[in-house]
Amino acid sequence: MARTARIVRETSESHIELELDLDGTGTTDIDTSVPFFNHMMTALGKHSLIDLKIKAWGDTDIDVHHTVEDTAIVFGEALRQALGDKRGIRRFADATVPLDEALAKAVVDISGRPYVVCTGEPEGYEYCMMGGHFTGSLVRHVMESIALHAGICLHLDVLAGRDPHHIAEAEFKALARALRFAIEPDPRIEGLIPSTKGAL
Ligand SMILES: [Mn+2]
């Protein structure tokens, strides 16, 4: 069965169209109207091997917050939809990814139990501005929005880093790489749900 999803979400603050295929090759076509966020979501698609199309716009005349948050929410919802009953997936995975001096580690459990623990961001990171519009604080906000709406448990740890662009990118790539393995079919449990409860 195809593990795909397409969602259109319209509110007074934003318009989001998102399409994904979990069994892709990391092909992306992303226009969120927020350049730095485009860069991050492109990296997320590329390194998770999820094919990802996003067209999003919103009240960026206020600031980019609503458009970024709503895109993350829809990505999480699409992920949950495409995973279906999570039959046959590896479920747990972790990845530690460097970008020069920055190093981030992501651990995921595709559990149906949303939970997020983020640690290690350097002091003041939340106030750093990237690409003129995207604050460091939005990175965690995006991670929380994805995890809560996808129903996954995510531990994200920044282990090192100085350049905010490098830190953010390492965080997104670590999530991508962990997701890639966690959502991948495990050939040893074909058709089985990887839970002692029999449901995820
Ligand atoms: Mn970059």
Side-chain angles (χ1 to χ4, degrees):
M1 213 178 72
R3 299 196 302 164
T4 60
R6 182 171 193 280
I7 296 178
V8 178
R9 181 183 192 267
E10 173 100 54
T11 71
S12 59
E13 295 177 344
S14 71
H15 177 99
I16 318 287
E17 297 172 19
L18 187 146
E19 209 176 316
L20 57 71
D21 180 352
L22 302 187
D23 301 297
T25 55
T27 305
T28 58
D29 178 5
I30 289 164
D31 178 8
T32 68
S33 67
V34 181
F36 187 78
F37 192 45
N38 290 344
H39 182 38
M40 294 300 105
M41 293 307 285
T42 302
L44 184 54
K46 182 61 139 180
H47 297 292
S48 62
L49 302 186
I50 294 173
D51 287 347
L52 185 58
K53 263 191 215 169
I54 306 174
K55 181 86 188 124
W57 63 88
D59 55 4
T60 48
D61 52 315
I62 297 172
D63 77 355
V64 304
H65 193 107
H66 299 143
T67 303
V68 168
E69 175 179 10
D70 295 349
T71 301
I73 287 172
V74 172
F75 177 77
E77 283 174 350
L79 197 55
R80 193 183 55 198
Q81 234 181 68
L83 282 163
D85 65 5
K86 308 180 184 75
R87 209 170 280 278
I89 62 167
R90 295 191 191 278
R91 180 179 167 183
F92 301 99
D94 67 274
T96 308
V97 173
L99 202 175
D100 294 352
E101 89 296 346
L103 184 66
K105 178 183 184 184
V107 185
V108 298
D109 176 9
I110 312 290
S111 57
R113 297 164 59 97
Y115 206 96
V116 179
V117 180
C118 284
T119 56
E121 287 180 350
E123 184 100 20
Y125 175 66
E126 62 269 43
Y127 309 120
C128 292
M129 190 65 86
M130 291 168 264
H133 301 279
F134 194 95
T135 50
S137 64
L138 278 174
V139 176
R140 184 182 299 187
H141 197 34
V142 165
M143 298 297 170
E144 287 167 347
S145 300
I146 292 173
L148 297 184
H149 290 270
I152 68 181
C153 173
L154 167 66
H155 285 249
L156 186 64
D157 196 6
V158 177
L159 300 168
R162 180 173 180 274
D163 182 302
H165 184 131
H166 287 171
I167 295 168
E169 194 166 330
E171 290 181 276
F172 275 90
K173 285 176 172 171
L175 172 65
R177 197 71 177 182
L179 271 183
R180 171 184 164 175
F181 291 114
I183 65 177
E184 203 167 56
D186 181 344
R188 293 182 63 185
I189 58 156
E190 204 176 324
L192 300 177
I193 292 174
S195 164
T196 52
K197 285 203 300 282
L200 283 172

